[in-house]
Amino acid sequence: MIISHEYRFIFIKTHKTAGSSVETRLSQLCAPNDIVSTMDPPAQDHEPRNWIGNSPLDKLYAKYERMRKLIHKDSVFLNKHYYQHMGGARIKQLCGDEIWNSYYKFCFDRNPWDKVVSFYWWKMRGKAEKTPFSEWLRIKKLPLDHQLYCFGDEVAVDFVGCYETLSQDLQKVLEHIGIENPPELPQVKTGIRKDKAHFSSAYDEADREFVAQLFAREIELLGYDFEGKSQPTAWIKEP
């Protein structure tokens, strides 16, 4: 996630929405006093800064990815800090009402059926024996990203773009916050999924309905369908 005081925006990083690519791009535009959370695993050209304190434990936590796996991100032993996939409610608590209410807040989401398949392949990376998709679907915590950008049932950000129209939607955001001629969007953490079949082929009827019920908020908000044939529409806060 990013808080840019230079351009007065807050970027909330969701799962499997090219968030690492977007964050890497935006981090290169941030000023020295802006906040850019760390990224695990690290990405080339991504520049984290000011996301954690300076206590001995904070420094170890910042330096070693393994420490970030062992210590819970909301541990009371850590000072105030920011992290990737941090929810808006927690960001607001740390940055304060003045910044949260006055900065432009945005994120991106993705067709849930597609996102869950992508998330599955990410979690299965490097494993010689992969859990069957239908079994994995019901035993793992899935990326319900509306919980990151909503407060209860209400959308708490100004803009929710779509992964399927990422270039156009990101351009709208950049124009709004006054960034001209940004660097090209890098390809970060790609090429994990080996099965190139259409995402819908991974589902049977029960799996399809399971995801539909679980991600009903995202489906309604952005207009997704199971086949991915309809064009989703970015959600924009009314003036």
PDB file of all heavy atoms in Angstrom, residues 13 15-28 39-47 84 110 118 122 163 166 184-193:
ATOM      1  N   LYS A  13      -3.699  -2.042  -1.870  1.00  0.00           N
ATOM      2  CA  LYS A  13      -3.302  -3.163  -2.731  1.00  0.00           C
ATOM      3  C   LYS A  13      -4.169  -4.384  -2.467  1.00  0.00           C
ATOM      4  O   LYS A  13      -4.153  -4.949  -1.378  1.00  0.00           O
ATOM      5  CB  LYS A  13      -1.827  -3.509  -2.489  1.00  0.00           C
ATOM      6  CG  LYS A  13      -1.306  -4.641  -3.366  1.00  0.00           C
ATOM      7  CD  LYS A  13       0.131  -4.970  -3.008  1.00  0.00           C
ATOM      8  CE  LYS A  13       0.646  -6.144  -3.827  1.00  0.00           C
ATOM      9  NZ  LYS A  13       2.027  -6.529  -3.430  1.00  0.00           N
ATOM     10  N   HIS A  15      -5.611  -8.350  -3.925  1.00  0.00           N
ATOM     11  CA  HIS A  15      -4.943  -9.586  -4.329  1.00  0.00           C
ATOM     12  C   HIS A  15      -5.180  -9.913  -5.801  1.00  0.00           C
ATOM     13  O   HIS A  15      -6.298  -9.786  -6.303  1.00  0.00           O
ATOM     14  CB  HIS A  15      -5.437 -10.764  -3.488  1.00  0.00           C
ATOM     15  CG  HIS A  15      -5.152 -10.647  -2.026  1.00  0.00           C
ATOM     16  ND1 HIS A  15      -5.948  -9.918  -1.164  1.00  0.00           N
ATOM     17  CD2 HIS A  15      -4.156 -11.175  -1.259  1.00  0.00           C
ATOM     18  CE1 HIS A  15      -5.458 -10.003   0.061  1.00  0.00           C
ATOM     19  NE2 HIS A  15      -4.370 -10.750   0.027  1.00  0.00           N
ATOM     20  N   LYS A  16      -4.118 -10.340  -6.478  1.00  0.00           N
ATOM     21  CA  LYS A  16      -4.186 -10.853  -7.848  1.00  0.00           C
ATOM     22  C   LYS A  16      -4.855  -9.874  -8.801  1.00  0.00           C
ATOM     23  O   LYS A  16      -5.669 -10.241  -9.642  1.00  0.00           O
ATOM     24  CB  LYS A  16      -4.889 -12.209  -7.873  1.00  0.00           C
ATOM     25  CG  LYS A  16      -4.357 -13.241  -6.877  1.00  0.00           C
ATOM     26  CD  LYS A  16      -2.833 -13.329  -6.883  1.00  0.00           C
ATOM     27  CE  LYS A  16      -2.273 -13.804  -8.205  1.00  0.00           C
ATOM     28  NZ  LYS A  16      -0.779 -13.801  -8.200  1.00  0.00           N
ATOM     29  N   THR A  17      -4.510  -8.598  -8.656  1.00  0.00           N
ATOM     30  CA  THR A  17      -5.057  -7.552  -9.523  1.00  0.00           C
ATOM     31  C   THR A  17      -3.940  -6.705 -10.129  1.00  0.00           C
ATOM     32  O   THR A  17      -4.142  -5.532 -10.422  1.00  0.00           O
ATOM     33  CB  THR A  17      -6.016  -6.636  -8.734  1.00  0.00           C
ATOM     34  OG1 THR A  17      -5.297  -6.094  -7.600  1.00  0.00           O
ATOM     35  CG2 THR A  17      -7.245  -7.387  -8.235  1.00  0.00           C
ATOM     36  N   ALA A  18      -2.765  -7.313 -10.309  1.00  0.00           N
ATOM     37  CA  ALA A  18      -1.574  -6.586 -10.763  1.00  0.00           C
ATOM     38  C   ALA A  18      -1.179  -5.508  -9.757  1.00  0.00           C
ATOM     39  O   ALA A  18      -0.526  -4.522 -10.111  1.00  0.00           O
ATOM     40  CB  ALA A  18      -1.783  -5.974 -12.152  1.00  0.00           C
ATOM     41  N   GLY A  19      -1.546  -5.719  -8.492  1.00  0.00           N
ATOM     42  CA  GLY A  19      -1.243  -4.736  -7.456  1.00  0.00           C
ATOM     43  C   GLY A  19       0.242  -4.504  -7.264  1.00  0.00           C
ATOM     44  O   GLY A  19       0.672  -3.379  -7.000  1.00  0.00           O
ATOM     45  N   SER A  20       1.044  -5.574  -7.399  1.00  0.00           N
ATOM     46  CA  SER A  20       2.494  -5.409  -7.251  1.00  0.00           C
ATOM     47  C   SER A  20       3.066  -4.566  -8.379  1.00  0.00           C
ATOM     48  O   SER A  20       3.981  -3.756  -8.175  1.00  0.00           O
ATOM     49  CB  SER A  20       3.173  -6.786  -7.228  1.00  0.00           C
ATOM     50  OG  SER A  20       2.789  -7.522  -6.086  1.00  0.00           O
ATOM     51  N   SER A  21       2.526  -4.739  -9.588  1.00  0.00           N
ATOM     52  CA  SER A  21       2.979  -3.941 -10.732  1.00  0.00           C
ATOM     53  C   SER A  21       2.599  -2.481 -10.548  1.00  0.00           C
ATOM     54  O   SER A  21       3.411  -1.573 -10.778  1.00  0.00           O
ATOM     55  CB  SER A  21       2.368  -4.487 -12.028  1.00  0.00           C
ATOM     56  OG  SER A  21       2.792  -5.814 -12.272  1.00  0.00           O
ATOM     57  N   VAL A  22       1.358  -2.243 -10.123  1.00  0.00           N
ATOM     58  CA  VAL A  22       0.894  -0.865  -9.899  1.00  0.00           C
ATOM     59  C   VAL A  22       1.695  -0.205  -8.785  1.00  0.00           C
ATOM     60  O   VAL A  22       2.137   0.942  -8.911  1.00  0.00           O
ATOM     61  CB  VAL A  22      -0.610  -0.851  -9.566  1.00  0.00           C
ATOM     62  CG1 VAL A  22      -1.055   0.555  -9.171  1.00  0.00           C
ATOM     63  CG2 VAL A  22      -1.429  -1.344 -10.755  1.00  0.00           C
ATOM     64  N   GLU A  23       1.908  -0.935  -7.694  1.00  0.00           N
ATOM     65  CA  GLU A  23       2.642  -0.357  -6.570  1.00  0.00           C
ATOM     66  C   GLU A  23       4.090  -0.059  -6.936  1.00  0.00           C
ATOM     67  O   GLU A  23       4.643   0.967  -6.536  1.00  0.00           O
ATOM     68  CB  GLU A  23       2.586  -1.285  -5.364  1.00  0.00           C
ATOM     69  CG  GLU A  23       3.229  -0.683  -4.131  1.00  0.00           C
ATOM     70  CD  GLU A  23       3.011  -1.528  -2.886  1.00  0.00           C
ATOM     71  OE1 GLU A  23       1.876  -1.962  -2.656  1.00  0.00           O
ATOM     72  OE2 GLU A  23       3.993  -1.744  -2.157  1.00  0.00           O
ATOM     73  N   THR A  24       4.703  -0.947  -7.701  1.00  0.00           N
ATOM     74  CA  THR A  24       6.073  -0.701  -8.144  1.00  0.00           C
ATOM     75  C   THR A  24       6.148   0.557  -8.988  1.00  0.00           C
ATOM     76  O   THR A  24       7.043   1.397  -8.812  1.00  0.00           O
ATOM     77  CB  THR A  24       6.600  -1.909  -8.947  1.00  0.00           C
ATOM     78  OG1 THR A  24       6.625  -3.053  -8.091  1.00  0.00           O
ATOM     79  CG2 THR A  24       8.005  -1.647  -9.477  1.00  0.00           C
ATOM     80  N   ARG A  25       5.196   0.695  -9.882  1.00  0.00           N
ATOM     81  CA  ARG A  25       5.158   1.887 -10.740  1.00  0.00           C
ATOM     82  C   ARG A  25       4.986   3.157  -9.911  1.00  0.00           C
ATOM     83  O   ARG A  25       5.701   4.138 -10.083  1.00  0.00           O
ATOM     84  CB  ARG A  25       4.014   1.752 -11.746  1.00  0.00           C
ATOM     85  CG  ARG A  25       3.855   2.930 -12.697  1.00  0.00           C
ATOM     86  CD  ARG A  25       2.691   2.668 -13.630  1.00  0.00           C
ATOM     87  NE  ARG A  25       2.548   3.703 -14.650  1.00  0.00           N
ATOM     88  CZ  ARG A  25       1.617   3.678 -15.592  1.00  0.00           C
ATOM     89  NH1 ARG A  25       0.764   2.675 -15.641  1.00  0.00           N
ATOM     90  NH2 ARG A  25       1.532   4.644 -16.485  1.00  0.00           N
ATOM     91  N   LEU A  26       4.039   3.135  -8.993  1.00  0.00           N
ATOM     92  CA  LEU A  26       3.755   4.321  -8.192  1.00  0.00           C
ATOM     93  C   LEU A  26       4.879   4.635  -7.212  1.00  0.00           C
ATOM     94  O   LEU A  26       5.147   5.803  -6.917  1.00  0.00           O
ATOM     95  CB  LEU A  26       2.439   4.139  -7.440  1.00  0.00           C
ATOM     96  CG  LEU A  26       1.172   4.062  -8.292  1.00  0.00           C
ATOM     97  CD1 LEU A  26      -0.036   3.741  -7.419  1.00  0.00           C
ATOM     98  CD2 LEU A  26       0.941   5.364  -9.043  1.00  0.00           C
ATOM     99  N   SER A  27       5.546   3.596  -6.705  1.00  0.00           N
ATOM    100  CA  SER A  27       6.618   3.822  -5.731  1.00  0.00           C
ATOM    101  C   SER A  27       7.753   4.644  -6.326  1.00  0.00           C
ATOM    102  O   SER A  27       8.445   5.375  -5.621  1.00  0.00           O
ATOM    103  CB  SER A  27       7.152   2.484  -5.204  1.00  0.00           C
ATOM    104  OG  SER A  27       7.966   1.826  -6.158  1.00  0.00           O
ATOM    105  N   GLN A  28       7.945   4.516  -7.627  1.00  0.00           N
ATOM    106  CA  GLN A  28       9.016   5.253  -8.307  1.00  0.00           C
ATOM    107  C   GLN A  28       8.708   6.744  -8.414  1.00  0.00           C
ATOM    108  O   GLN A  28       9.587   7.547  -8.695  1.00  0.00           O
ATOM    109  CB  GLN A  28       9.228   4.660  -9.696  1.00  0.00           C
ATOM    110  CG  GLN A  28       9.675   3.203  -9.671  1.00  0.00           C
ATOM    111  CD  GLN A  28       9.571   2.531 -11.026  1.00  0.00           C
ATOM    112  OE1 GLN A  28       9.312   3.154 -12.043  1.00  0.00           O
ATOM    113  NE2 GLN A  28       9.767   1.219 -11.042  1.00  0.00           N
ATOM    114  N   MET A  39       7.119  -5.359   0.147  1.00  0.00           N
ATOM    115  CA  MET A  39       6.439  -6.312  -0.718  1.00  0.00           C
ATOM    116  C   MET A  39       7.118  -7.675  -0.568  1.00  0.00           C
ATOM    117  O   MET A  39       8.340  -7.765  -0.639  1.00  0.00           O
ATOM    118  CB  MET A  39       6.510  -5.842  -2.177  1.00  0.00           C
ATOM    119  CG  MET A  39       5.668  -6.659  -3.143  1.00  0.00           C
ATOM    120  SD  MET A  39       5.898  -6.103  -4.860  1.00  0.00           S
ATOM    121  CE  MET A  39       5.261  -4.429  -4.770  1.00  0.00           C
ATOM    122  N   ASP A  40       6.319  -8.701  -0.338  1.00  0.00           N
ATOM    123  CA  ASP A  40       6.862 -10.056  -0.193  1.00  0.00           C
ATOM    124  C   ASP A  40       6.241 -10.991  -1.228  1.00  0.00           C
ATOM    125  O   ASP A  40       5.015 -11.103  -1.277  1.00  0.00           O
ATOM    126  CB  ASP A  40       6.594 -10.604   1.211  1.00  0.00           C
ATOM    127  CG  ASP A  40       7.307  -9.817   2.305  1.00  0.00           C
ATOM    128  OD1 ASP A  40       8.446  -9.372   2.064  1.00  0.00           O
ATOM    129  OD2 ASP A  40       6.730  -9.654   3.395  1.00  0.00           O
ATOM    130  N   PRO A  41       7.068 -11.674  -2.021  1.00  0.00           N
ATOM    131  CA  PRO A  41       8.511 -11.503  -2.135  1.00  0.00           C
ATOM    132  C   PRO A  41       8.850 -10.159  -2.773  1.00  0.00           C
ATOM    133  O   PRO A  41       8.015  -9.586  -3.475  1.00  0.00           O
ATOM    134  CB  PRO A  41       8.937 -12.675  -3.041  1.00  0.00           C
ATOM    135  CG  PRO A  41       7.719 -12.993  -3.834  1.00  0.00           C
ATOM    136  CD  PRO A  41       6.564 -12.725  -2.940  1.00  0.00           C
ATOM    137  N   PRO A  42      10.054  -9.633  -2.538  1.00  0.00           N
ATOM    138  CA  PRO A  42      10.426  -8.315  -3.071  1.00  0.00           C
ATOM    139  C   PRO A  42      10.382  -8.277  -4.596  1.00  0.00           C
ATOM    140  O   PRO A  42      10.543  -9.295  -5.262  1.00  0.00           O
ATOM    141  CB  PRO A  42      11.867  -8.134  -2.563  1.00  0.00           C
ATOM    142  CG  PRO A  42      11.997  -9.081  -1.424  1.00  0.00           C
ATOM    143  CD  PRO A  42      11.132 -10.250  -1.753  1.00  0.00           C
ATOM    144  N   ALA A  43      10.138  -7.096  -5.126  1.00  0.00           N
ATOM    145  CA  ALA A  43      10.099  -6.907  -6.575  1.00  0.00           C
ATOM    146  C   ALA A  43      11.167  -5.903  -6.996  1.00  0.00           C
ATOM    147  O   ALA A  43      11.422  -4.920  -6.287  1.00  0.00           O
ATOM    148  CB  ALA A  43       8.722  -6.408  -7.018  1.00  0.00           C
ATOM    149  N   GLN A  44      11.769  -6.144  -8.124  1.00  0.00           N
ATOM    150  CA  GLN A  44      12.777  -5.231  -8.655  1.00  0.00           C
ATOM    151  C   GLN A  44      12.151  -3.859  -8.914  1.00  0.00           C
ATOM    152  O   GLN A  44      11.034  -3.757  -9.416  1.00  0.00           O
ATOM    153  CB  GLN A  44      13.360  -5.787  -9.957  1.00  0.00           C
ATOM    154  CG  GLN A  44      14.468  -4.943 -10.548  1.00  0.00           C
ATOM    155  CD  GLN A  44      15.033  -5.555 -11.817  1.00  0.00           C
ATOM    156  OE1 GLN A  44      14.643  -6.649 -12.216  1.00  0.00           O
ATOM    157  NE2 GLN A  44      15.953  -4.857 -12.444  1.00  0.00           N
ATOM    158  N   ASP A  45      12.857  -2.814  -8.549  1.00  0.00           N
ATOM    159  CA  ASP A  45      12.461  -1.418  -8.758  1.00  0.00           C
ATOM    160  C   ASP A  45      11.365  -0.951  -7.811  1.00  0.00           C
ATOM    161  O   ASP A  45      10.950   0.203  -7.889  1.00  0.00           O
ATOM    162  CB  ASP A  45      12.029  -1.167 -10.209  1.00  0.00           C
ATOM    163  CG  ASP A  45      13.151  -1.416 -11.206  1.00  0.00           C
ATOM    164  OD1 ASP A  45      14.315  -1.119 -10.855  1.00  0.00           O
ATOM    165  OD2 ASP A  45      12.886  -1.907 -12.307  1.00  0.00           O
ATOM    166  N   HIS A  46      10.894  -1.824  -6.940  1.00  0.00           N
ATOM    167  CA  HIS A  46       9.943  -1.389  -5.917  1.00  0.00           C
ATOM    168  C   HIS A  46      10.728  -0.766  -4.772  1.00  0.00           C
ATOM    169  O   HIS A  46      11.719  -1.329  -4.317  1.00  0.00           O
ATOM    170  CB  HIS A  46       9.126  -2.577  -5.413  1.00  0.00           C
ATOM    171  CG  HIS A  46       8.173  -2.233  -4.315  1.00  0.00           C
ATOM    172  ND1 HIS A  46       8.452  -2.489  -2.983  1.00  0.00           N
ATOM    173  CD2 HIS A  46       6.956  -1.638  -4.340  1.00  0.00           C
ATOM    174  CE1 HIS A  46       7.440  -2.080  -2.244  1.00  0.00           C
ATOM    175  NE2 HIS A  46       6.518  -1.564  -3.039  1.00  0.00           N
ATOM    176  N   GLU A  47      10.289   0.393  -4.306  1.00  0.00           N
ATOM    177  CA  GLU A  47      11.063   1.156  -3.343  1.00  0.00           C
ATOM    178  C   GLU A  47      10.271   1.430  -2.067  1.00  0.00           C
ATOM    179  O   GLU A  47       9.659   2.479  -1.920  1.00  0.00           O
ATOM    180  CB  GLU A  47      11.507   2.479  -3.976  1.00  0.00           C
ATOM    181  CG  GLU A  47      12.310   2.294  -5.261  1.00  0.00           C
ATOM    182  CD  GLU A  47      12.591   3.608  -5.972  1.00  0.00           C
ATOM    183  OE1 GLU A  47      12.440   4.673  -5.329  1.00  0.00           O
ATOM    184  OE2 GLU A  47      12.947   3.573  -7.157  1.00  0.00           O
ATOM    185  N   GLN A  84       1.546  -4.645   3.081  1.00  0.00           N
ATOM    186  CA  GLN A  84       0.809  -4.909   1.850  1.00  0.00           C
ATOM    187  C   GLN A  84      -0.534  -5.571   2.175  1.00  0.00           C
ATOM    188  O   GLN A  84      -0.674  -6.261   3.174  1.00  0.00           O
ATOM    189  CB  GLN A  84       1.630  -5.777   0.908  1.00  0.00           C
ATOM    190  CG  GLN A  84       1.941  -7.179   1.395  1.00  0.00           C
ATOM    191  CD  GLN A  84       2.682  -7.979   0.342  1.00  0.00           C
ATOM    192  OE1 GLN A  84       2.885  -7.538  -0.784  1.00  0.00           O
ATOM    193  NE2 GLN A  84       3.109  -9.184   0.701  1.00  0.00           N
ATOM    194  N   ARG A 110     -11.079  -7.667  -9.401  1.00  0.00           N
ATOM    195  CA  ARG A 110     -11.018  -8.576 -10.547  1.00  0.00           C
ATOM    196  C   ARG A 110     -12.193  -9.546 -10.504  1.00  0.00           C
ATOM    197  O   ARG A 110     -12.729  -9.837  -9.430  1.00  0.00           O
ATOM    198  CB  ARG A 110      -9.690  -9.338 -10.471  1.00  0.00           C
ATOM    199  CG  ARG A 110      -9.416 -10.345 -11.576  1.00  0.00           C
ATOM    200  CD  ARG A 110      -8.030 -10.918 -11.368  1.00  0.00           C
ATOM    201  NE  ARG A 110      -7.614 -11.843 -12.424  1.00  0.00           N
ATOM    202  CZ  ARG A 110      -6.395 -12.372 -12.519  1.00  0.00           C
ATOM    203  NH1 ARG A 110      -5.479 -12.063 -11.610  1.00  0.00           N
ATOM    204  NH2 ARG A 110      -6.094 -13.199 -13.504  1.00  0.00           N
ATOM    205  N   SER A 118      -6.463 -17.699 -10.166  1.00  0.00           N
ATOM    206  CA  SER A 118      -5.123 -17.118 -10.134  1.00  0.00           C
ATOM    207  C   SER A 118      -4.511 -17.249  -8.739  1.00  0.00           C
ATOM    208  O   SER A 118      -3.323 -17.555  -8.595  1.00  0.00           O
ATOM    209  CB  SER A 118      -5.185 -15.641 -10.548  1.00  0.00           C
ATOM    210  OG  SER A 118      -3.910 -15.049 -10.520  1.00  0.00           O
ATOM    211  N   TRP A 122      -1.097 -19.262  -7.472  1.00  0.00           N
ATOM    212  CA  TRP A 122      -0.079 -18.564  -6.679  1.00  0.00           C
ATOM    213  C   TRP A 122       0.256 -19.359  -5.422  1.00  0.00           C
ATOM    214  O   TRP A 122       1.424 -19.530  -5.057  1.00  0.00           O
ATOM    215  CB  TRP A 122      -0.565 -17.161  -6.316  1.00  0.00           C
ATOM    216  CG  TRP A 122       0.356 -16.409  -5.409  1.00  0.00           C
ATOM    217  CD1 TRP A 122       0.203 -16.178  -4.079  1.00  0.00           C
ATOM    218  CD2 TRP A 122       1.608 -15.799  -5.760  1.00  0.00           C
ATOM    219  NE1 TRP A 122       1.262 -15.459  -3.580  1.00  0.00           N
ATOM    220  CE2 TRP A 122       2.137 -15.207  -4.590  1.00  0.00           C
ATOM    221  CE3 TRP A 122       2.321 -15.682  -6.954  1.00  0.00           C
ATOM    222  CZ2 TRP A 122       3.349 -14.532  -4.574  1.00  0.00           C
ATOM    223  CZ3 TRP A 122       3.538 -14.994  -6.933  1.00  0.00           C
ATOM    224  CH2 TRP A 122       4.036 -14.433  -5.766  1.00  0.00           C
ATOM    225  N   TYR A 163      -9.403  -4.883 -12.970  1.00  0.00           N
ATOM    226  CA  TYR A 163      -8.216  -5.536 -13.510  1.00  0.00           C
ATOM    227  C   TYR A 163      -8.337  -5.712 -15.012  1.00  0.00           C
ATOM    228  O   TYR A 163      -7.355  -5.577 -15.749  1.00  0.00           O
ATOM    229  CB  TYR A 163      -8.054  -6.889 -12.815  1.00  0.00           C
ATOM    230  CG  TYR A 163      -7.011  -7.796 -13.409  1.00  0.00           C
ATOM    231  CD1 TYR A 163      -5.673  -7.672 -13.053  1.00  0.00           C
ATOM    232  CD2 TYR A 163      -7.370  -8.802 -14.310  1.00  0.00           C
ATOM    233  CE1 TYR A 163      -4.704  -8.515 -13.589  1.00  0.00           C
ATOM    234  CE2 TYR A 163      -6.415  -9.650 -14.842  1.00  0.00           C
ATOM    235  CZ  TYR A 163      -5.090  -9.504 -14.488  1.00  0.00           C
ATOM    236  OH  TYR A 163      -4.143 -10.349 -15.024  1.00  0.00           O
ATOM    237  N   LEU A 166      -7.407  -2.436 -16.674  1.00  0.00           N
ATOM    238  CA  LEU A 166      -6.435  -1.820 -15.779  1.00  0.00           C
ATOM    239  C   LEU A 166      -5.769  -0.588 -16.377  1.00  0.00           C
ATOM    240  O   LEU A 166      -5.656   0.448 -15.726  1.00  0.00           O
ATOM    241  CB  LEU A 166      -5.372  -2.845 -15.379  1.00  0.00           C
ATOM    242  CG  LEU A 166      -4.257  -2.353 -14.454  1.00  0.00           C
ATOM    243  CD1 LEU A 166      -4.818  -1.903 -13.115  1.00  0.00           C
ATOM    244  CD2 LEU A 166      -3.213  -3.448 -14.238  1.00  0.00           C
ATOM    245  N   GLU A 184       6.271   3.182 -17.538  1.00  0.00           N
ATOM    246  CA  GLU A 184       5.426   2.088 -17.986  1.00  0.00           C
ATOM    247  C   GLU A 184       5.146   1.120 -16.843  1.00  0.00           C
ATOM    248  O   GLU A 184       5.947   0.963 -15.927  1.00  0.00           O
ATOM    249  CB  GLU A 184       6.097   1.339 -19.144  1.00  0.00           C
ATOM    250  CG  GLU A 184       6.191   2.147 -20.433  1.00  0.00           C
ATOM    251  CD  GLU A 184       6.737   1.314 -21.574  1.00  0.00           C
ATOM    252  OE1 GLU A 184       6.923   0.092 -21.391  1.00  0.00           O
ATOM    253  OE2 GLU A 184       6.957   1.883 -22.653  1.00  0.00           O
ATOM    254  N   LEU A 185       3.994   0.455 -16.925  1.00  0.00           N
ATOM    255  CA  LEU A 185       3.618  -0.504 -15.897  1.00  0.00           C
ATOM    256  C   LEU A 185       4.494  -1.748 -16.030  1.00  0.00           C
ATOM    257  O   LEU A 185       4.477  -2.419 -17.064  1.00  0.00           O
ATOM    258  CB  LEU A 185       2.147  -0.885 -16.067  1.00  0.00           C
ATOM    259  CG  LEU A 185       1.481  -1.648 -14.911  1.00  0.00           C
ATOM    260  CD1 LEU A 185       1.405  -0.761 -13.673  1.00  0.00           C
ATOM    261  CD2 LEU A 185       0.097  -2.120 -15.313  1.00  0.00           C
ATOM    262  N   PRO A 186       5.276  -2.096 -15.007  1.00  0.00           N
ATOM    263  CA  PRO A 186       6.148  -3.276 -15.092  1.00  0.00           C
ATOM    264  C   PRO A 186       5.350  -4.561 -14.930  1.00  0.00           C
ATOM    265  O   PRO A 186       4.231  -4.556 -14.412  1.00  0.00           O
ATOM    266  CB  PRO A 186       7.109  -3.072 -13.922  1.00  0.00           C
ATOM    267  CG  PRO A 186       6.299  -2.317 -12.919  1.00  0.00           C
ATOM    268  CD  PRO A 186       5.411  -1.392 -13.725  1.00  0.00           C
ATOM    269  N   GLN A 187       5.922  -5.663 -15.358  1.00  0.00           N
ATOM    270  CA  GLN A 187       5.309  -6.981 -15.166  1.00  0.00           C
ATOM    271  C   GLN A 187       5.946  -7.626 -13.940  1.00  0.00           C
ATOM    272  O   GLN A 187       7.081  -8.092 -13.996  1.00  0.00           O
ATOM    273  CB  GLN A 187       5.525  -7.844 -16.411  1.00  0.00           C
ATOM    274  CG  GLN A 187       4.888  -7.273 -17.670  1.00  0.00           C
ATOM    275  CD  GLN A 187       3.373  -7.217 -17.572  1.00  0.00           C
ATOM    276  OE1 GLN A 187       2.709  -8.191 -17.238  1.00  0.00           O
ATOM    277  NE2 GLN A 187       2.819  -6.044 -17.846  1.00  0.00           N
ATOM    278  N   VAL A 188       5.223  -7.620 -12.833  1.00  0.00           N
ATOM    279  CA  VAL A 188       5.746  -8.125 -11.562  1.00  0.00           C
ATOM    280  C   VAL A 188       4.929  -9.333 -11.106  1.00  0.00           C
ATOM    281  O   VAL A 188       3.698  -9.313 -11.146  1.00  0.00           O
ATOM    282  CB  VAL A 188       5.687  -7.024 -10.477  1.00  0.00           C
ATOM    283  CG1 VAL A 188       6.187  -7.549  -9.141  1.00  0.00           C
ATOM    284  CG2 VAL A 188       6.499  -5.813 -10.913  1.00  0.00           C
ATOM    285  N   LYS A 189       5.634 -10.389 -10.685  1.00  0.00           N
ATOM    286  CA  LYS A 189       4.998 -11.610 -10.171  1.00  0.00           C
ATOM    287  C   LYS A 189       4.034 -12.219 -11.177  1.00  0.00           C
ATOM    288  O   LYS A 189       2.893 -12.596 -10.838  1.00  0.00           O
ATOM    289  CB  LYS A 189       4.280 -11.326  -8.842  1.00  0.00           C
ATOM    290  CG  LYS A 189       5.199 -10.802  -7.748  1.00  0.00           C
ATOM    291  CD  LYS A 189       4.452 -10.597  -6.455  1.00  0.00           C
ATOM    292  CE  LYS A 189       5.340  -9.994  -5.379  1.00  0.00           C
ATOM    293  NZ  LYS A 189       4.636  -9.751  -4.110  1.00  0.00           N
ATOM    294  N   THR A 190       4.434 -12.315 -12.420  1.00  0.00           N
ATOM    295  CA  THR A 190       3.606 -12.907 -13.457  1.00  0.00           C
ATOM    296  C   THR A 190       4.157 -14.273 -13.848  1.00  0.00           C
ATOM    297  O   THR A 190       5.241 -14.675 -13.433  1.00  0.00           O
ATOM    298  CB  THR A 190       3.566 -11.998 -14.694  1.00  0.00           C
ATOM    299  OG1 THR A 190       4.902 -11.839 -15.194  1.00  0.00           O
ATOM    300  CG2 THR A 190       2.994 -10.639 -14.358  1.00  0.00           C
ATOM    301  N   GLY A 191       3.409 -14.998 -14.682  1.00  0.00           N
ATOM    302  CA  GLY A 191       3.872 -16.273 -15.214  1.00  0.00           C
ATOM    303  C   GLY A 191       3.785 -17.436 -14.248  1.00  0.00           C
ATOM    304  O   GLY A 191       4.388 -18.480 -14.471  1.00  0.00           O
ATOM    305  N   ILE A 192       3.021 -17.287 -13.150  1.00  0.00           N
ATOM    306  CA  ILE A 192       2.911 -18.351 -12.148  1.00  0.00           C
ATOM    307  C   ILE A 192       1.933 -19.432 -12.617  1.00  0.00           C
ATOM    308  O   ILE A 192       2.183 -20.617 -12.467  1.00  0.00           O
ATOM    309  CB  ILE A 192       2.450 -17.777 -10.795  1.00  0.00           C
ATOM    310  CG1 ILE A 192       3.454 -16.729 -10.295  1.00  0.00           C
ATOM    311  CG2 ILE A 192       2.276 -18.889  -9.776  1.00  0.00           C
ATOM    312  CD1 ILE A 192       4.837 -17.269 -10.031  1.00  0.00           C
ATOM    313  N   ARG A 193       0.831 -18.997 -13.180  1.00  0.00           N
ATOM    314  CA  ARG A 193      -0.206 -19.949 -13.572  1.00  0.00           C
ATOM    315  C   ARG A 193       0.231 -20.739 -14.801  1.00  0.00           C
ATOM    316  O   ARG A 193       0.559 -20.169 -15.833  1.00  0.00           O
ATOM    317  CB  ARG A 193      -1.516 -19.207 -13.860  1.00  0.00           C
ATOM    318  CG  ARG A 193      -2.672 -20.116 -14.246  1.00  0.00           C
ATOM    319  CD  ARG A 193      -3.926 -19.302 -14.477  1.00  0.00           C
ATOM    320  NE  ARG A 193      -4.998 -20.120 -15.021  1.00  0.00           N
ATOM    321  CZ  ARG A 193      -6.171 -19.641 -15.408  1.00  0.00           C
ATOM    322  NH1 ARG A 193      -6.429 -18.347 -15.295  1.00  0.00           N
ATOM    323  NH2 ARG A 193      -7.094 -20.448 -15.905  1.00  0.00           N
TER     324      ARG A 193
END
